[in-house]
Amino acid sequence: MRRITIGQKLYVGVISVFIVFATAFIIYQQTREKQYKIDTLNIRLQNFNDRMDEALRAKGCMDETTIDRYVRTHHLPGQRVTLIRPDGRVIFDNLHKNYADFANHANRPEVARALREGAGSAVERNSPTLKGEFFYSATYFPTDSVVIRSALPYNNDLSRSLQADQHYLWFAIVAMLVLVLLLYQFTSRLGQNINKLRTFAWRADHGESLDSEDLIDFPNDELGEIAERIIKIYKRLQTTRQEQDVLKRQLTQNIAHELKTPVASIQGYLETILDTPGISEATRQQFLERCFAQSQRLTSLLQDISTLNKMDDGAQMMGIEEVDISQMAMTIGKETALQLEAKRMHFANRLPAHICVRGNMSLLYSVLRNLTDNAIAYAGVGTTITLTAHEEGEWWHFTFSDNGVGVGAEHLPRLFERFYRVDKGRSRKMGGTGLGLAIVKNAVLLHGGTITASNNPEGGLRFDFTLAKA
């Protein structure tokens, strides 16, 4: 069974409401216009009655001859004039002179109302005397104790004159046809968009391809634009999700690979100790120290992975406060003094006093500490680490550089990738996790800043990053 679309329901519903409204309006307008014409004709006959009473009163008599002469000279074509006493007795009629044939007129609707209210009328009332339908208008004149009733035969001419004008009816019909066409065009486009979106939703739900012609061409209007954008956004999200899945698989593989090395080393040393009962105490001690070193590397790796996951999933939950970067850099210099001394390196902290930024203290500490540890590990013996800063508008611009060996230009774009190493073998020997610079970049980005890596012209590696002022 074919389902009725929402566009068709909307079309039928609006058209039905409009037809009901238009029909009610036409009936009301016809009734109102007909009543207006009836009232106009009644006023005309009432005026005749008033003028006739004034004329007869001016002449001072109401005999048959005087009344008949006045009616012949002033009446409308086909007009019937009747004079009735308050008791219902007819004393004059210009069309029927045998007054004995007249029944009592006190109960005639227009006469009864005239006696009560001063004036009355009746439309399409049959005359028992003349056997025909008339439009009656009666007026009661208490001074003369008489009801003057004027009447016009309700023939085709009078019926047509009382009919409502039909021009507005044709106008309403034309307006309705125009609305039908416009509404059909609108609901047709709406139906097309909804059908495409329904097709899109069904295919997306069933995992089918969305790259088909029936999901490309949309009507050139706001609804079509919205529908097209919805599909494009979904496709973009789908592509992003696929890319994230690839990155997650790569990250999982990298994590597994990075964890495998320290775990395998620990397992190998412990197996050797367990399988060799006669191993010397010195060798046993050496193997245990190596196991401890690998466990420390494993701990560092897990901590770095945890830090990255927190930044990916819960950055908005990290506390923001005012952080003194100058004091933090001095603290890191003191913490790494022994490592720097072991490699005859120098940390030149040239930051102005009390540089304050708004951010998370733990993440900002990770930025400076990882950059320092990275320089200590790879810059080379006897090199100098330099940290400077200058302000531009609402930002502090920091430069962290060394005068060491630097890296090849081909490695610069990938330095911030997770687990990326310029020299993999040397990096593992140095105890690095491969996540330090990734943590640095993510932390800076979470604070709304930017970071870039480049080689110094005079040699060494340089990092430029920005942080917002407090």
Side-chain angles (χ1 to χ4, degrees):
M1 182 177 178
R2 186 173 180 271
R3 295 175 58 186
I4 300 177
T5 65
I6 188 172
Q8 292 172 333
K9 291 179 181 178
L10 177 63
Y11 178 76
V12 173
V14 174
I15 289 299
S16 299
V17 170
F18 182 77
I19 289 176
V20 170
F21 172 78
T23 302
F25 173 76
I26 290 171
I27 293 174
Y28 168 77
Q29 182 66 19
Q30 282 189 320
T31 303
R32 181 170 174 273
E33 187 172 353
K34 184 176 181 179
Q35 187 60 45
Y36 170 78
K37 292 187 175 183
I38 289 173
D39 292 342
T40 302
L41 180 59
N42 182 48
I43 291 173
R44 187 178 179 186
L45 294 178
Q46 289 284 331
N47 289 336
F48 175 87
N49 297 342
D50 291 338
R51 291 195 304 271
M52 180 175 175
D53 180 71
E54 291 177 1
L56 295 177
R57 191 181 304 163
K59 292 181 179 181
C61 61
M62 280 195 179
D63 59 276
E64 177 85 11
T65 303
T66 303
I67 297 173
D68 194 56
R69 185 183 302 112
Y70 179 86
V71 172
R72 283 200 307 271
T73 56
H74 295 85
H75 81 295
L76 300 174
Q79 182 178 4
R80 179 187 178 189
V81 179
T82 308
L83 273 65
I84 307 161
R85 291 298 181 186
D87 60 1
R89 181 168 54 86
V90 176
I91 62 173
F92 175 81
D93 190 284
N94 66 324
L95 298 183
H96 191 80
K97 296 300 183 179
N98 189 1
Y99 302 136
D101 294 341
F102 285 91
N104 190 284
H105 276 46
N107 61 347
R108 300 292 194 264
E110 66 280 3
V111 175
R113 186 173 180 184
L115 291 171
R116 288 194 313 269
E117 302 175 9
S121 63
V123 183
E124 296 185 63
R125 187 177 70 76
N126 184 65
S127 172
T129 305
L130 300 181
K131 309 302 181 184
E133 291 184 340
F134 287 83
F135 178 93
Y136 293 100
S137 180
T139 308
Y140 177 47
F141 300 96
T143 304
D144 300 322
S145 190
V146 67
V147 174
I148 300 177
R149 186 185 70 179
S150 299
L152 289 173
Y154 201 87
N155 52 26
N156 291 336
D157 293 337
L158 182 59
S159 176
R160 282 195 298 270
S161 68
L162 294 181
Q163 285 182 353
D165 190 359
Q166 303 298 315
H167 290 92
Y168 74 91
L169 178 61
W170 291 110
F171 172 78
I173 293 174
V174 171
M176 186 171 65
L177 291 176
V178 171
L179 178 65
V180 167
L181 294 175
L182 292 177
L183 186 61
Y184 176 79
Q185 186 178 16
F186 170 75
T187 55
S188 176
R189 289 186 175 184
L190 176 64
Q192 291 179 30
N193 292 328
I194 293 176
N195 287 335
K196 288 179 183 292
L197 286 175
R198 184 169 60 185
T199 302
F200 154 74
W202 190 91
R203 292 182 180 178
D205 185 48
H206 290 77
E208 295 187 4
S209 174
L210 302 177
D211 297 323
S212 56
E213 292 185 0
D214 55 348
L215 294 179
I216 295 177
D217 187 24
F218 285 87
N220 187 23
D221 55 20
E222 291 83 355
L223 294 174
E225 182 180 354
I226 293 172
E228 188 173 1
R229 287 188 177 183
I230 290 174
I231 294 179
K232 286 182 177 179
I233 290 172
Y234 178 83
K235 288 182 178 180
R236 188 159 56 245
L237 291 175
Q238 191 179 45
T239 302
T240 303
R241 190 179 297 112
Q242 292 172 351
E243 292 175 351
Q244 289 177 341
D245 291 341
V246 172
L247 291 175
K248 285 182 180 179
R249 285 196 297 270
Q250 292 177 348
L251 181 60
T252 303
Q253 292 171 357
N254 289 334
I255 291 174
H257 182 71
E258 293 297 328
L259 293 175
K260 188 185 301 181
T261 301
V263 171
S265 297
I266 293 171
Q267 185 178 3
Y269 290 132
L270 292 177
E271 284 180 354
T272 301
I273 293 173
L274 293 174
D275 294 342
T276 311
I279 190 171
S280 66
E281 188 62 30
T283 303
R284 180 193 298 271
Q285 183 65 27
Q286 182 183 13
F287 282 3
L288 289 176
E289 289 177 355
R290 290 179 179 176
C291 284
F292 179 71
Q294 292 296 328
S295 69
Q296 285 184 314
R297 179 166 178 258
L298 189 59
T299 299
S300 298
L301 182 62
L302 293 175
Q303 287 177 343
D304 287 347
I305 292 173
S306 176
T307 300
L308 283 171
N309 285 337
K310 286 180 181 178
M311 286 190 288
D312 288 342
D313 301 330
Q316 67 279 5
M317 299 176 63
M318 296 184 178
I320 301 297
E321 57 186 310
E322 186 175 307
V323 180
D324 190 332
I325 296 294
S326 301
Q327 183 62 42
M328 183 179 288
M330 291 175 61
T331 302
I332 291 175
K334 293 177 182 178
E335 291 174 350
T336 58
L338 293 178
Q339 296 169 268
L340 291 165
E341 184 180 350
K343 288 196 171 185
R344 302 193 304 278
M345 297 177 68
H346 175 61
F347 187 1
N349 180 8
R350 298 175 183 171
L351 294 180
H354 304 298
I355 292 180
C356 293
V357 300
R358 285 195 61 78
N360 180 269
M361 181 175 289
S362 176
L363 291 182
L364 293 175
Y365 177 86
S366 297
V367 172
L368 296 182
R369 184 57 190 261
N370 278 297
L371 289 175
T372 303
D373 290 342
N374 186 76
I376 293 173
Y378 304 114
V381 177
T383 55
T384 299
I385 301 172
T386 304
L387 178 59
T388 62
H390 67 278
E391 56 181 320
E392 289 184 10
E394 298 298 319
W395 298 88
W396 279 104
H397 289 250
F398 296 88
T399 298
F400 189 100
S401 64
D402 62 68
N403 59 352
V405 295
V407 299
E410 70 277 10
H411 298 294
L412 290 174
R414 303 189 62 188
L415 280 182
F416 298 109
E417 292 182 13
R418 300 177 184 186
F419 298 111
Y420 183 78
R421 291 184 173 89
V422 176
D423 185 342
K424 296 183 180 180
R426 181 167 175 266
S427 297
R428 289 197 176 94
K429 286 182 181 180
M430 301 298 292
T433 62
L435 294 173
L437 293 182
I439 292 175
V440 169
K441 180 179 180 180
N442 283 4
V444 171
L445 293 179
L446 283 174
H447 285 80
T450 59
I451 185 168
T452 58
S454 61
N455 282 316
N456 284 316
E458 63 275 9
L461 190 60
R462 167 178 173 156
F463 295 92
D464 293 282
F465 60 96
T466 59
L467 294 173
K469 291 180 179 180

